[in-house]
Amino acid sequence: MTLRFSDVHAVEILDSRARPTLAVTLTTAAGTRVRAGVPSGDSTGSREAVEVRDADPARFAGQGVTKAVGHVNGEIAEALLGRDFGSAADVDAALVELDGTPGKSRLGANAITGVSLAAARAQAATGGMDLWESLSAVAGTAPRLPVPHFNVVNGGAHAANALDFQEFMLAPLGAPSLADAVRAGAEVYGRLQARLAAAGHATGLGDEGGFAPGLDSPEEVLTLLVEAITDAGYTAGRDGIAIALDPAASEFWHEDHYVVAGDHLSSDQLIDRYQQIVERFPVWSIEDGLAEGDRDGWVRLTARLGDRIQLMGDDIFVTDPAIITEAIDRGIGNSALIKVNQIGTVTETLEAMRICRNAGYAQMVSHRSGETEDAFIADLAVGTGAGQIKSGTPARGERVAKYNRLMDIADEQARPLPFGIG
Ligand SMILES: C=C(OP(=O)(O)O)C(=O)O
Ligand SMILES: [Mg+2]
């Protein structure tokens, strides 16, 4: 296969938070056009690859991406046009080399992510494959439909309420198929809205489209979730619908203690609190239960709860192959959240996933809190056989685009793809 581009073009568009981001269009020499939208996080890990933003206060309050757009249309286009690449991985390698910084801060992780996502699509199109099929071939992985994790209550950096934990997700682990899992998420979402309204709580939404009630106690939210699951006729638990949390604890870590609903907690006190939560509620997964800077706490958390539940690293791993390798050696967590723009290229993302697979670490492919309508992560999750995906609420376009893409993939197969964690 040869990848040759006749046009490389980026434009400033909006993400779901009314902030600017990039869309990148690549045109191959054969005339095929592919496009990718770039997501953007808010509760970011300190070692994530670095976005380039304009810092011009007169445009988008200093958040514009015209500089990053200029890097794609200028330096990156110049480096890619008229050159033959053997694969999208070769394009990624050229991008990394051209940038020349460890954090992709010169050209911008946002610029590089957009080109990398589009290059993966160009390779699939050139090979006459669906994106998920092409990614599966590149990664050498068996495709599988992932269990969707629906974030239905938002707090932390994603909502203006007093809730310290950032995400409360429905995980239909017991669903027999992807379509049943999506239906379960949607049905419980409706029941939760009714429960919240009946209890006099606000049903306004956070950044990922989950409800943002004026509650501060995680246990109170969990009680409402279990009630909503039961109201919708499902079993709360791993045989039916379980719950996954992303407290995003780096956001409520204050140098040497955590603050949850006004309580000041040491690492060990927060670990105790998680243990009580796991004993009382059907919580099967906790992402970023402790802060990225609290690595000793992470080791103790993993020793205490790692054989009972999934302990997933997001801020602490940032989809970085080297950081994940070191964390695995130290016994930190047992699973990794996967976000392409944390590391900046699809190739490095696939490498992070390979390292996890080899170490027996589970993986969940993830959206960002600022999203576009691009559903790349649905194909990435299926192609790599990751087993899990999170894309926020089942009730907002940019999130639903990913669930709908999964349902299309499931529907299009003559021979059904396996569904579930595997
Ligand atoms: C999706 C998340 O949020 P953000 O994109 O703001 O990092 C997360 O923390 O998992
Ligand atoms: Mg997270």
Side-chain angles (χ1 to χ4, degrees), residues 41-43 158 166 208 246 287 314 339 368-369 390:
D42 198 11
S43 68
H158 295 167
Q166 179 179 283
E208 296 185 355
D246 177 6
E287 174 191 330
D314 172 14
K339 296 165 166 170
R368 300 306 306 247
S369 50
K390 71 169 189 179

Side-chain angles (χ1 to χ4, degrees), residues 143-290:
R144 162 175 289 279
L145 296 161
V147 177
H149 285 59
F150 301 99
N151 183 10
V152 291
V153 174
N154 295 183
H158 295 167
N161 56 8
L163 196 55
D164 298 298
F165 285 16
Q166 179 179 283
E167 302 175 20
F168 294 76
M169 292 171 272
L170 302 168
L173 301 180
S177 72
L178 176 81
D180 286 306
V182 172
R183 182 165 64 86
E187 288 174 351
V188 176
Y189 179 86
R191 295 298 182 141
L192 179 63
Q193 185 166 27
R195 276 265 170 198
L196 287 168
H201 297 301
T203 53
L205 305 179
D207 286 356
E208 296 185 355
F211 301 112
L215 290 165
D216 62 358
S217 151
E219 289 80 1
E220 226 175 302
V221 174
L222 286 164
T223 301
L224 281 161
L225 277 183
V226 169
E227 287 169 353
I229 291 168
T230 313
D231 287 349
Y234 293 94
T235 307
R238 295 188 191 205
D239 295 341
I241 303 180
I243 295 169
L245 298 176
D246 177 6
S250 304
E251 299 286 327
F252 53 88
W253 164 251
H254 302 271
E255 311 252 322
D256 61 354
H257 69 282
Y258 296 88
V259 179
V260 177
D263 295 337
H264 287 226
L265 304 173
S266 66
S267 304
D268 288 325
Q269 286 170 323
L270 185 51
I271 294 169
D272 288 343
R273 182 94 168 243
Y274 289 138
Q275 183 165 348
Q276 287 155 15
I277 283 176
V278 167
E279 279 160 10
R280 201 174 141 203
F281 299 100
V283 169
W284 94 283
S285 177
I286 301 179
E287 174 191 330
D288 282 358
L290 297 178

Side-chain angles (χ1 to χ4, degrees), residues 20-45:
T21 186
L22 295 84
V24 174
T25 302
L26 295 178
T27 309
T28 68
T32 305
R33 281 159 71 96
V34 290
R35 181 178 162 94
V38 180
S40 178
D42 198 11
S43 68
T44 50

